[in-house]
Amino acid sequence: MHTPSPAPSIILNLSEFIDALAALRRGNVIVVMDAETRSCMLDGARLMSAFRPLHDYGLVAEYDNPAGFAGLRYFRMTDTGKFFADNALAVWQARAWHERLAMRLLC
């Protein structure tokens, strides 16, 4: 019997997703404080919806952080994520400022 694959993640907030890609590309990491609720932080801000697509599409992966705190999980950008971020951020920056602003307000 075939088990259906889960539906692909949807990017609910494009602005948050783009900002997360930029922060991760700068070397920041996602800290997951509660795996059940997926309560996570990135660069001092709470991620509301970007974590799931970042994780589901293999753009971030968990890693062992011996300097971290017990009970927290840490995720950093994968090589696939770096390639994706470089392309996505270049396309984003190529848009006119007013298009980026409109997308931030509407998406």
Side-chain angles (χ1 to χ4, degrees):
M1 181 171 184
H2 174 70
T3 304
S5 59
S9 292
I10 298 171
I11 298 170
L12 297 175
N13 183 326
L14 182 60
S15 298
E16 182 186 72
F17 187 77
I18 290 292
D19 291 344
L21 286 175
L24 288 161
R25 194 62 184 105
R26 288 191 306 270
N28 292 310
V29 299
I30 297 172
V31 179
V32 177
M33 296 173 293
D34 183 352
E36 301 256 340
T37 63
R38 291 199 175 187
S39 174
C40 11
M41 301 289 290
L42 173 62
D43 199 20
R46 184 161 187 238
L47 284 181
M48 302 302 285
S49 63
F51 178 75
R52 185 171 182 167
L54 288 167
H55 184 258
D56 289 352
Y57 288 110
L59 305 179
V60 296
E62 188 170 5
Y63 74 100
D64 182 35
N65 185 358
F69 295 97
L72 299 181
R73 297 171 62 198
Y74 297 88
F75 291 79
R76 64 179 160 209
M77 192 165 264
T78 62
D79 289 338
T80 300
K82 290 174 186 174
F83 178 77
F84 179 86
D86 289 344
N87 289 310
L89 294 170
V91 168
W92 178 255
Q93 289 302 318
R95 292 188 173 274
W97 69 269
H98 61 279
E99 289 177 337
R100 292 192 314 259
L101 177 61
M103 290 177 80
R104 283 188 176 278
L105 294 174
L106 301 173
C107 298

